[in-house]
Amino acid sequence: ATSGAIDVKAGATSIASATSGANTSVTGATATIGSVTAGGNYAIAATGDVTLGTAANQTQRAAGTITIAGRNIAEGAAGLTLTANSDSAGAGPATLTASGNIALANATINGGPARQSDVSLTSTGDTTVKAVNAANIAANAGGGITLTTASAANNVKIGRAHV
């Protein structure tokens, strides 16, 4: 899908690629999303599972904020790169919230190209991410937390989830 702005509301959504000059928003029961380039904010709100990346080494980026919420958030293929504030113009954070697990063991999450924005990861289960690069990193989980690499310009906070 290519558009000025993309707003999808469906029970189950599967998008191979989306490019928008403005905001990209997906709302529904489940979401499987491939590559994304959003000129504004990028948001997924699912009551069920969210799968990021449909092929190896895909990129999902937004010039503004990235907000992803679902039961479980997982990668569909290895090598996903998720970047909020991709244009370095602001301080738009990346926020992932799961009522289950965040399973991104082969993914990289960036708070901007130069660690100028925050990344927040919250789950009631386990949280696993290969690499997180941000101004500040906050990871809260009801289960275990594994961040293979955490590079913060300022602070890294690890805690117990209260979602």
Side-chain angles (χ1 to χ4, degrees), residues 1 6 8 13-18 24-26 31-36 54:
I6 299 172
V8 177
T13 302
S14 181
I15 299 172
S17 178
T24 298
S25 174
V26 177
T32 300
I33 310 296
S35 61
V36 174
T54 57

Side-chain angles (χ1 to χ4, degrees), residues 122-125 139-143 159-163:
T122 304
S123 71
T124 59
N140 296 285
R160 195 87 170 135
H162 300 286
V163 289

Side-chain angles (χ1 to χ4, degrees), residues 1-129:
T2 302
S3 178
I6 299 172
D7 186 15
V8 177
K9 295 177 182 165
T13 302
S14 181
I15 299 172
S17 178
T19 301
S20 71
N23 297 332
T24 298
S25 174
V26 177
T27 305
T30 62
T32 300
I33 310 296
S35 61
V36 174
T37 300
N41 300 326
Y42 167 41
I44 299 173
T47 55
D49 294 340
V50 174
T51 303
L52 303 175
T54 57
N57 303 313
Q58 285 191 310
T59 300
Q60 296 186 358
R61 64 180 174 258
T65 64
I66 293 178
T67 306
I68 299 173
R71 182 176 50 221
N72 294 298
I73 300 171
E75 57 197 330
L80 173 75
T81 301
L82 188 67
T83 304
N85 188 22
S86 61
D87 65 358
S88 302
T95 304
L96 282 68
T97 306
S99 60
N101 300 311
I102 296 174
L104 302 170
N106 299 296
T108 299
I109 302 173
N110 298 312
R115 299 183 313 166
Q116 67 271 41
S117 296
D118 296 343
V119 171
S120 174
L121 308 167
T122 304
S123 71
T124 59
D126 295 331
T127 293
T128 303
V129 180

